[in-house]
Amino acid sequence: MRTILILIKKEFLQVFRNPLLIGILTVAPMVQFIIFPFCADYEIKVLHIAFIDNDHSTISQDLTHTFNASGYFISHGLVKNKKEAEKMMKHDKIDILVEFPHDFERSLYNNEPTQIAITANAINTMKAGIGTGYVQNIIGDYLNDFAQNNRPPQAPTKVSINISNVYWYNEQMNYKNLIVPGILVILVTLIGCYVTALNLVREKEIGTIEQVNVTPIRRWQFLLGKMIPFWILGISEFIIGLVIMKLVFGITVQGSIPMLLGCTAIYLLVMLGLGFFISSIADNQLQAMFIVLFLFIVFVLLSGLFTPTEGMPEWAHKINYLNPMSFFMNVIKKVVLKGTEVESLRTEFIVLSVMAVVINTGAVVSYKESSK
Amino acid sequence: MNSIEVHDLTKQFGAFTAVNHISFEVREGEIFGFLGANGAGKTTAIKMMSGLLQPTSGTAIIAGYDVRTQSKLIKRNIGYMSQRFSLYNDLTVFENMQLFGTIYKIPRKELKERIHTSLKELDMDQHANTLVEAIPLGWKQKLAFATAILHRPKIVFLDEPTSGVDPIVRREFWKLIYDTASTGVTILVTTHYMDEAEYCNRISIMAEGELKLIGTPDELKKKMAATTINDVFVKFVRR
């Protein structure tokens, strides 16, 4: 017990004497916390648009003006032909091109099917998708009005399109609510996995671990002495994060806070164990960094933080069963946003616990092997 | 009584044999020098004797314990100072000694007294609260030695303790070694400096993983018809 206490003391002394580490642990996450949610905003506020009007009718001109009024679009006016429009798109002058057919107005009055061509620059798929949605929405709205004004109400009209859910999907607050808790997850993961892996590998590099290995200390004592300080640091960061989340973004935890902290504590154990495991297979800090980075990217992409997991293929879902971050992400979503009751977290709780036991056992074993 | 007994000790890393069937004994309280060029296998041999590495074959009885089965007991009874400086640079002198002393389970009060006495002997007591990174290399080496013997081990392994240290500190360091040996502690030391070899009670010369020569400095000089250990080494290498 005394051995573990002195090891914890040693680790804390070292952490607080290392200005770089203090920076990584405090400033970096806070900056990330404050800046990231504003940048990782999927709302598209400016779209450059141009038109090809083969109809030159009142309706097509009127519709063109509606785009200017919407506030989302910067209109580059009428373009003579497709060739010129392509050139503009190639040079990134416009994001979206709308082309009216030459019998557009006549078809509308005769209730005949007609087609408006919407061309989007899909280099940025997100922008193209949302931009096309806006365009469809504006045209849809306009044509609905048109139909109501020019037709008797009983006559059904073919041009009635309703794509209003595009706007709902893009509601600004929605992203922050998801991204901010997601950053909490990233924060805890980085401290758990990255900082501990680098810490242990550093001792290997400078040779201090040899001096420790030659003492009668037991492996688990040494690992515990490393784990507890970073575990405490991780939980503290998480709590600070929750406070910032409340104060800056006004997001309150809907569910049980003790449950949330409990799951975080277990998730941290998984990440600490993973960090130690990595440090035992890596020879230097650079190697450890690459391994952590690789796993981190896979974890984040699969976790559903930036992309919905529902759209992933079956095999990705299967891999996700091994991804602790995706389970923790679920916990965060459920507790922070939905406020679900404790029982519904049973799966996540059990899976994370099992992962913690497995990975830490692996870490102790592989640490033993590596120091033979 | 022998405190180190090594028989046919061998370590292979894949196809490479780092230590090849070495056998020797070291008496209690003896200062035993391990000489040899870089890569001769000295460090590997020391690591096996201190329980850091498992031997491929052969036996080693250290302070009465078998390295294969009783490495924990060996670790409790030996001190070890590695080739490179390996105390924590970002801890103070006192914190380093406290850390290792506590790991060896020296009682709290006793430990404080020992650290105090030890620092006084080193003339470093005013630097107890200085960060280790801020003190000169020579002092660091003396400090590492003092930390390695804080728990009163029966045997101390020193792996090139004086490399890169100035002549004055080297002399002081050897005084520390003599003082420690005089209390009955066995010292096994590796070195590059041939003048230091003269200070040892007995020396051995290793090459290509094998123990080529062993004896007192005088015996070896006579055997090789040389006047200094340096000559012995040069003649041995040319042979």
Side-chain angles (χ1 to χ4, degrees):
Chain A
M1 193 59 207
R2 213 177 129 220
T3 309
I4 293 173
L5 281 180
I6 193 88
L7 287 170
I8 294 173
K9 183 186 164 194
K10 164 220 166 224
E11 214 59 60
F12 271 123
L13 282 172
Q14 287 183 304
V15 166
F16 288 110
R17 278 186 196 144
N18 185 344
L20 190 72
L21 195 59
I22 286 291
I24 292 175
L25 287 176
T26 57
V27 181
M30 294 316 144
V31 169
Q32 207 185 47
F33 220 130
I34 310 252
I35 289 179
F36 206 61
F38 291 103
C39 302
D41 187 340
Y42 297 145
E43 195 187 22
I44 308 288
K45 293 183 178 89
V46 175
L47 282 162
H48 293 269
I49 193 167
F51 306 88
I52 297 178
D53 190 353
N54 299 320
D55 198 30
H56 295 291
S57 61
T58 329
I59 292 185
S60 66
Q61 273 170 31
D62 198 24
L63 197 45
T64 311
H65 291 307
T66 340
F67 280 95
N68 292 336
S70 77
Y72 285 101
F73 294 95
I74 293 179
S75 174
H76 290 252
L78 290 177
V79 183
K80 274 185 231 109
N81 51 41
K82 201 126 192 178
K83 216 171 188 169
E84 199 182 324
E86 265 173 34
K87 212 169 125 192
M88 287 175 86
M89 201 166 273
K90 217 170 222 165
H91 290 101
D92 276 335
K93 290 234 170 62
I94 55 170
D95 302 307
I96 287 180
L97 173 74
V98 176
E99 186 177 356
F100 299 104
H102 70 88
D103 51 357
F104 181 60
E105 194 179 55
R106 197 172 47 102
S107 307
L108 281 181
Y109 279 116
N110 297 338
N111 200 14
E112 283 164 6
T114 179
Q115 275 188 326
I116 300 172
I118 303 170
T119 315
N121 178 0
I123 293 292
N124 181 343
T125 45
M126 186 79 75
K127 203 170 180 178
I130 291 176
T132 323
Y134 286 166
V135 173
Q136 287 178 351
N137 221 337
I138 289 176
I139 296 176
D141 273 356
Y142 182 88
L143 295 184
N144 264 342
D145 286 348
F146 172 84
Q148 250 150 36
N149 295 338
N150 293 283
R151 297 262 158 212
Q154 66 270 26
T157 162
K158 276 178 187 155
V159 289
S160 149
I161 321 157
N162 190 358
I163 329 172
S164 61
N165 57 339
V166 171
Y167 275 98
W168 174 81
Y169 199 57
N170 204 10
E171 202 180 0
Q172 199 170 342
M173 275 312 289
N174 231 0
Y175 293 118
K176 288 214 175 66
N177 279 351
L178 184 63
I179 294 266
V180 174
I183 287 174
L184 263 183
V185 174
I186 290 183
L187 212 88
V188 173
T189 308
L190 280 183
I191 292 176
C193 193
Y194 199 59
V195 176
T196 36
L198 287 191
N199 178 286
L200 201 66
V201 175
R202 189 165 158 265
E203 289 223 19
K204 241 187 193 173
E205 260 181 35
I206 55 180
T208 44
I209 203 160
E210 209 171 87
Q211 198 65 50
V212 174
N213 280 342
V214 84
T215 68
I217 199 170
R218 295 185 183 280
R219 310 267 180 241
W220 61 264
Q221 284 179 322
F222 182 67
L223 286 184
L224 220 54
K226 282 265 175 216
M227 230 164 180
I228 294 171
F230 289 106
W231 190 68
I232 293 173
L233 281 176
I235 295 199
S236 317
E237 291 256 317
F238 186 77
I239 292 173
I240 296 172
L242 284 182
V243 173
I244 294 187
M245 198 167 84
K246 169 91 177 90
L247 294 183
V248 179
F249 300 100
I251 303 171
T252 352
V253 178
Q254 303 292 316
S256 140
I257 290 187
M259 188 61 196
L260 185 63
L261 291 181
C263 283
T264 308
I266 294 171
Y267 177 68
L268 259 171
L269 287 184
V270 178
M271 284 300 141
L272 288 166
L274 187 64
F276 286 136
F277 183 75
I278 290 168
S279 68
S280 72
I281 54 174
D283 291 324
N284 52 52
Q285 296 188 67
L286 206 63
Q287 282 182 10
M289 226 160 90
F290 276 123
I291 301 173
V292 174
L293 203 66
F294 166 75
L295 285 177
F296 188 71
I297 290 172
V298 175
F299 282 171
V300 169
L301 285 179
L302 286 174
S303 72
L305 172 56
F306 293 117
T307 45
T309 46
E310 286 80 6
M312 290 177 192
E314 194 51 38
W315 57 265
H317 278 289
K318 284 197 177 119
I319 294 177
N320 234 347
Y321 288 122
L322 295 172
N323 179 5
M325 196 189 264
S326 104
F327 286 98
F328 188 52
M329 196 68 211
N330 271 345
V331 171
I332 294 279
K333 278 184 197 164
K334 280 182 179 172
V335 179
V336 176
L337 299 179
K338 287 192 200 153
T340 36
E341 61 277 27
V342 176
E343 286 79 52
S344 75
L345 291 172
R346 189 170 289 141
T347 319
E348 284 83 0
F349 194 84
I350 292 172
V351 171
L352 286 175
S353 302
V354 170
M355 280 179 171
V357 171
V358 170
I359 192 78
N360 282 295
T361 313
V364 174
V365 170
S366 94
Y367 174 68
K368 225 170 189 165
E369 286 301 311
S370 74
S371 56
K372 253 183 193 157
Chain B
M1 211 192 113
N2 289 329
S3 58
I4 300 177
E5 285 177 12
V6 174
H7 296 289
D8 285 335
L9 197 63
T10 302
K11 180 71 189 182
Q12 286 179 316
F13 295 107
F16 172 67
T17 308
V19 172
N20 196 0
H21 293 90
I22 59 168
S23 302
F24 64 93
E25 279 118 42
V26 182
R27 286 188 315 276
E28 209 177 277
E30 195 175 12
I31 301 176
F32 188 81
F34 239 44
L35 311 190
N38 288 328
K42 292 170 292 170
T43 300
T44 309
I46 284 198
K47 281 189 173 170
M48 280 192 282
M49 288 187 270
S50 55
L52 276 177
L53 270 178
Q54 278 290 318
T56 311
S57 66
T59 56
I61 307 294
I62 310 296
Y65 303 112
D66 190 335
V67 289
R68 286 182 180 282
T69 53
Q70 297 170 297
S71 68
K72 203 113 269 169
L73 286 164
I74 290 178
K75 285 177 176 179
R76 204 162 288 159
N77 287 290
I78 60 161
Y80 173 84
M81 188 178 154
S82 90
Q83 211 165 26
R84 36 184 189 171
F85 181 72
S86 48
L87 294 182
Y88 290 94
N89 268 321
D90 44 4
L91 295 182
T92 66
V93 170
F94 182 82
E95 285 162 358
N96 264 296
M97 296 182 104
Q98 194 191 30
L99 171 66
F100 285 103
T102 308
I103 291 177
Y104 282 106
K105 297 195 177 4
I106 305 170
R108 206 177 301 249
K109 221 177 136 198
E110 166 91 18
L111 177 61
K112 235 175 193 167
E113 276 164 26
R114 281 196 207 177
I115 294 175
H116 187 70
T117 333
S118 172
L119 288 180
K120 208 156 199 177
E121 277 167 14
L122 294 177
D123 208 15
M124 277 175 70
D125 41 356
Q126 73 276 28
H127 290 291
N129 293 319
T130 312
L131 287 185
V132 167
E133 64 187 354
I135 63 175
L137 181 70
W139 287 19
K140 282 186 188 174
Q141 297 301 95
K142 286 197 280 181
L143 179 67
F145 182 74
T147 309
I149 60 168
L150 208 58
H151 59 288
R152 311 260 159 92
K154 291 184 182 138
I155 305 165
V156 182
F157 294 96
L158 305 172
D159 196 0
E160 290 178 19
T162 53
S163 56
V165 169
D166 69 66
I168 297 165
V169 177
R170 261 171 64 198
R171 193 179 297 259
E172 288 170 0
F173 198 90
W174 274 90
K175 192 183 169 300
L176 282 177
I177 293 180
Y178 265 100
D179 289 349
T180 311
S182 70
T183 62
V185 176
T186 309
I187 310 269
L188 193 146
V189 56
T190 74
T191 181
H192 277 313
Y193 300 106
M194 292 306 146
D195 57 321
E196 287 185 350
E198 308 262 7
Y199 302 146
C200 300
N201 300 126
R202 277 195 309 149
I203 51 177
S204 64
I205 297 182
M206 268 188 93
E208 288 146 5
E210 290 172 24
L211 205 71
K212 302 283 192 185
L213 284 174
I214 185 165
T216 66
D218 286 340
E219 280 170 7
L220 293 191
K221 279 185 247 178
K222 212 176 268 173
K223 193 174 177 186
M224 302 296 285
T227 49
T228 61
I229 291 295
N230 200 35
D231 284 348
V232 171
F233 196 72
V234 170
K235 281 190 173 170
F236 167 76
V237 172
R238 288 219 179 113
R239 196 172 63 177

